[in-house]
Amino acid sequence: MPAIKEYQTVAEISGPLMLVEMVDEAKYGHIVDIELGDGSIRHGQILQVENDKVLIQVFEGTRGIDVTKSTVRFLAKPLELAVSPDILGRVFNGLGEPKDNGPAIIPEKRLDINSKPINPYARNYPNEFIQTGISSIDGLNPLVRGQKLPIFSGAGLPHDQITAQIARQATILGEGEEFAVVFAAMGITFEAAQFFIDDLHQTGAIERAVMFVNLANDPAIERIATPRFALTAAEYLAFELDMHVLVILNDMTNYCEALREISAARKEVPGRRGYPGYLYTDLATVYERAGRIKEKKGSITMVPVLTMPEDDKTHPVPDLTGYITEGQIILSRPLHRKAVSPPVDVLPSLSRLKDKGIGEGKTREDHADLYNQLYAAYARGKECQELATIMGEAALSEEDKKYMTFANKFEARYVSQDYYENRSVETTLDLGWELLSMFENAELKRIDVKLIEKYMPKFRKKEREA
Amino acid sequence: MSETKQGRIVKVAGPVVVAEGMAGARMYDVVRVSELNIIGEIVELHGDLASIQVYEETTGIGPGEPVVDTEAPLSVELGPGLIESIYDGIQRPLNSLVELEGEFMSRGSALPGINREKKWHFIPTVADGTKVGPGDIIGKIQETTLVEHKIMVPFGVEGTLQRISEGDYTVVETIGVVVADDRTETELKLMQEWPVRNPRQTIKRLAPNQVLVTGQRVIDTFFPIAKGGTACVPGPFGTGKTVVQHQLAKWVDADIVVYVGCGERGNEMTDVLTEFPELKDPRSGEPLMRRSVLIANTSNMPVAAREASVYTGITIAEYFRDMGYVVALMADSTSRWAEAMREISTRLEEMPAEEGYPAYLAARIAAFYERAGRAKCCGSPEREGALSIIGAVSPPGGDLSDSVVQATLHVVKVFWSLKGELAYQRHFPAIDWLTSYSFYKQYLRECFEDKDQGLEMEELTTQAMSLLEQEAELLEIVRLVGAEALSPQDRLALETSRSIREDFLHQNAFHEVDTYTSMDKQYEMLKTILHFHKQALAAIETGVETAEIFKLPVREEIARAKYIPHEFVTKVAKIRDTIDEHIKQLHPSGVS
């Protein structure tokens, strides 16, 4: 281990960045401590080294730092998280330091927060269905263990309730094993973070949770490190302690904004909307840490939350996220206005890994055909809804009206449910059949005839009775 | 290696490192950076300063550390052992790395691309004393049950073959020598190297003339790709680019498939890895993996290696083309490759063109696709090979005016446009029939042994396409004035187009039977749908109500034709008899 060196040669400070000169043996990516004139300590990371000039990003911001009195200590190591099984149940700040007045963690080991990429050959394909108890997820966009499935939300939409519900209810079918929850808050309000933490307390899940909290009024640059601390903790729990971990990152938009701030301060050529050109790669190094590994029992399932500016999903943050994650759950403002809750916009939502996680032996044999049919029918119903708003209901054909009725019922009964209602996957599937029973068998082109014959009569009977 | 070419690092900024003392180094030479021995490539020279793009994480590297020039360009190893391999962007075998270093990728690993220990049974196909030149096939190896690996004389070697013999060799053992006219001897090995950024030579380029059958109905029937052709699949996220690529990799009628996962999801590559060994090739019944080479540089792996991955892939593909094979390369996604270029370019502080992409973006993309094609290969025996490229493009927000899409459209001959709305309706493959195109349509008829059948197929596709176009117009009218305003004929046109969309174009990649449709079955299915249209039209002319026609139970049979296995393709044809029967019942006077 090289000796720790101290320098008082700060040359420039601008925005979140600081330039130190005449430095010997600085390494890219390593961290520094900055001691201010008043003895307080800040943290920084090396962004660039050129000869003896070192560019440092200061996590806590540069306010109050001066050029003459500050001492920069080069710690000759990358950012690390001290881990031990004791991290469970604890709350840390955005830089991985305890925030809950509890004792310091006695480290079993220290892990580099930029862990190495998983070798694709060592990955195990995610195929175990997670029951979240939410129909619009379980029935139509199932989550599987090891998947990364973000929630695309907007300001004022109830993503906090949904993530809390997922954290509360998620179980592996048949195993009943509960998830350990790692929660990273990045620039969200105290209220939102506390809501989540309180919810974990109520269910007792806090015992199996680790939290990294960077609130809206905490230093913005710190947020760049927060998800990496959280994921390092998650990797430790999953791949060394064999736990199944659910990671919730809320809110990735704030993370990207912090990244943009650094990029702008470095005067880099901006990409779309001022975000740096490497945003995709950077996000990938966060999201791709989810997964399963062969020969390891644990897994990391990730539910990042992001708020789409102006509900625009072509905005760089949701756009690039969607290209990396395995699907997305999109929340819709019009549905929220219609009091459909959770307001999941079913049509553009998607789970890419669903096909291997459902079906006989996992959920039920009819699952795949059923969601295909529900999608097709709802898509048509939606079109009819729109047509009706333009030309009036009278202009619709009988068939169109039927599809419109279906769409309305589907939103009210299937998508809508209480935040504390935990539907089993069978309940969700049966509900699908019940709604489809208003169509003739011949109209259900996406479902295998054998399945229709097996499942439908029960619901037809019910329908007639009703 | 000469000691003079050792420089030292002066600057580290992300994936770009600048070293001094590099005078004499050449552009695109491979260098070893720091004590970790990380691989890099020289991308800029200023006096004795060299900018290097580094293929691995640079955390912990700083000024003063050494940089050693290997004085060779970035190359891949070509020889038996490629098939069934999975490599990263610079041809490091990922499967061996797991055994060596564990589940996470470490830095500075230096495993060779091709296994050095494995012995291969080599059978010469020419005798001692034969005059040989570059590209000549001198022997063969049964690499897998599906691939006969032909051993070729490397480029630059010419003379008389000596001491060649059958036997079991590793890739580095000498299988024979070539004695040149000046008596210099070159040892021949099973393996050769090739710099990835240079296209491999051929004697002559030929125009593509055959359809590359994919078993995907919308592609084969409406927008076919040719053997040696190029195609691109742009679309916003969630429209199924990757599923289309996977489907092609699985079912395409090629001898060799090279799949490049360039900056995409790790789990998708795992999917390919777990599925390919289990899936059976519909023609030979052998596992698909036995004809595939996979390159996986996922999005979280180093960005410079991502930039190299498409070149690694295409060079391997060209090598198999040179053996006279039909090769298909899938690159998913070329946008990530372009972004890697952009990232390196930004770090080099180059002046950007549109959207921050470097000004040479279009040229690089064009040069890449130009490496596809049908060609007369070098050497004897005389042979032809073909290399098709299918590139996925992921434009931001699905916007087709994106630089990468536009640069790609300038060079490719097939355009499969994926549309968000179709995907939301779960209409997959979400290829938009109105905006997609193919320049290889005229070869469709050659897919059928019977010439008349080929011509008929052409007519059927034209008719189906015009119905789909008519549908778009009619829907516009319905939106304005309601369905009531349509004539019965128009209503039928709408129903038939719906049937074409739902019963023909829609194809379920995850259904055991539906995932692949033979050309014959495609013909029968389309013919049946249009036969119904013809008979219904005739019935309408004689005054039958459209509602009566739409209620016919035979329509369900048409809808389910896609699930009839290929062996029972005659059953699809029989549906046409049922159609005639049912329509006749509506209209006793009979319609022929």
Side-chain angles (χ1 to χ4, degrees), chain A residues 223-238:
Chain A
R223 279 165 214 161
I224 295 177
T226 309
R228 298 196 161 83
F229 276 109
L231 284 160
T232 306
E235 279 166 5
Y236 171 72
L237 297 176

Side-chain angles (χ1 to χ4, degrees), chain A residues 100-350:
Chain A
D100 52 2
N101 302 325
I105 298 292
I106 298 163
E108 188 178 87
K109 55 168 90 180
R110 291 177 187 279
L111 299 172
D112 181 353
I113 66 157
N114 292 302
S115 90
K116 296 178 253 178
I118 303 177
N119 183 325
Y121 189 79
R123 279 182 188 270
N124 207 348
Y125 196 73
N127 57 5
E128 298 155 304
F129 176 80
I130 297 175
Q131 179 176 297
T132 65
I134 303 171
S135 291
S136 47
I137 297 178
D138 291 353
L140 302 168
N141 298 292
L143 180 66
V144 294
R145 201 140 76 176
Q147 185 176 16
K148 39 194 179 295
L149 187 65
I151 296 179
F152 286 12
S153 182
L157 292 177
H159 46 264
D160 293 327
Q161 279 91 326
I162 298 173
T163 44
Q165 192 177 10
I166 294 175
R168 197 164 50 228
Q169 299 179 349
T171 49
I172 294 292
L173 218 52
E175 291 183 20
E177 191 178 346
E178 279 176 13
F179 282 86
V181 177
V182 173
F183 179 67
M186 289 158 284
I188 61 172
T189 59
F190 168 77
E191 231 174 298
Q194 203 56 42
F195 168 79
F196 193 85
I197 295 172
D198 286 348
D199 204 81
L200 288 180
H201 269 293
Q202 271 167 20
T203 55
I206 195 82
E207 300 295 317
R208 297 172 63 82
V210 188
M211 267 150 296
F212 293 85
V213 181
N214 167 286
L215 296 179
N217 59 347
D218 287 332
I221 304 307
E222 201 176 284
R223 279 165 214 161
I224 295 177
T226 309
R228 298 196 161 83
F229 276 109
L231 284 160
T232 306
E235 279 166 5
Y236 171 72
L237 297 176
F239 302 134
E240 298 195 27
L241 302 187
D242 291 339
M243 299 173 91
H244 294 292
V245 186
L246 178 70
V247 180
I248 292 172
L249 307 173
N250 186 6
D251 161 339
M252 287 305 283
T253 307
N254 296 334
Y255 167 84
C256 295
E257 274 164 12
L259 213 57
R260 176 165 69 175
E261 194 179 331
I262 290 287
S263 171
R266 292 183 71 181
K267 302 189 174 62
E268 289 172 333
V269 181
R272 283 173 69 220
R273 300 225 188 172
Y275 288 95
Y278 49 80
L279 185 60
Y280 176 84
T281 306
D282 188 277
L283 283 173
T285 57
V286 173
Y287 295 140
E288 278 289 334
R289 288 169 79 169
R292 295 165 72 207
I293 294 182
K294 287 179 205 161
E295 323 279 330
K296 303 253 185 201
K297 199 174 156 276
S299 65
I300 299 179
T301 309
M302 195 190 289
V303 180
V305 176
L306 51 92
T307 44
M308 300 181 280
E310 293 170 54
D311 298 349
D312 173 13
K313 76 169 191 288
T314 67
H315 181 278
V317 178
D319 191 50
L320 295 177
T321 297
Y323 275 124
I324 305 166
T325 54
E326 286 125 359
Q328 65 278 334
I329 302 291
I330 299 188
L331 303 188
S332 142
R333 205 168 294 276
L335 283 182
H336 186 57
R337 268 191 226 113
K338 274 196 205 166
V340 172
S341 74
V344 174
D345 197 352
V346 168
L347 296 181
S349 294
L350 170 73

Side-chain angles (χ1 to χ4, degrees), chain A residues 27-28 49 51 116-117 119 272 280-281 288 293 313 319 322-326 349 352 356 375 391 447, chain B residues 10-12 60-61 65 94 103-105 238 263 265-267 271 336 343 395-397 424 426 479 560:
Chain A
K27 308 287 186 195
Y28 173 78
V49 218
N51 295 313
K116 296 178 253 178
N119 183 325
R272 283 173 69 220
Y280 176 84
T281 306
E288 278 289 334
I293 294 182
K313 76 169 191 288
D319 191 50
Y323 275 124
I324 305 166
T325 54
E326 286 125 359
S349 294
R352 290 166 190 270
K356 303 261 163 68
Y375 259 110
M391 314 201 318
I447 309 183
Chain B
V10 292
K11 178 181 174 183
V12 185
I61 293 178
E65 295 187 51
L94 291 172
E103 292 89 355
F104 292 88
M105 304 281 293
R265 304 173 181 92
N267 280 330
D271 189 22
R336 305 298 161 231
E343 195 167 333
Y424 302 157
R426 297 304 185 263
R479 224 160 275 144
R560 299 197 186 273

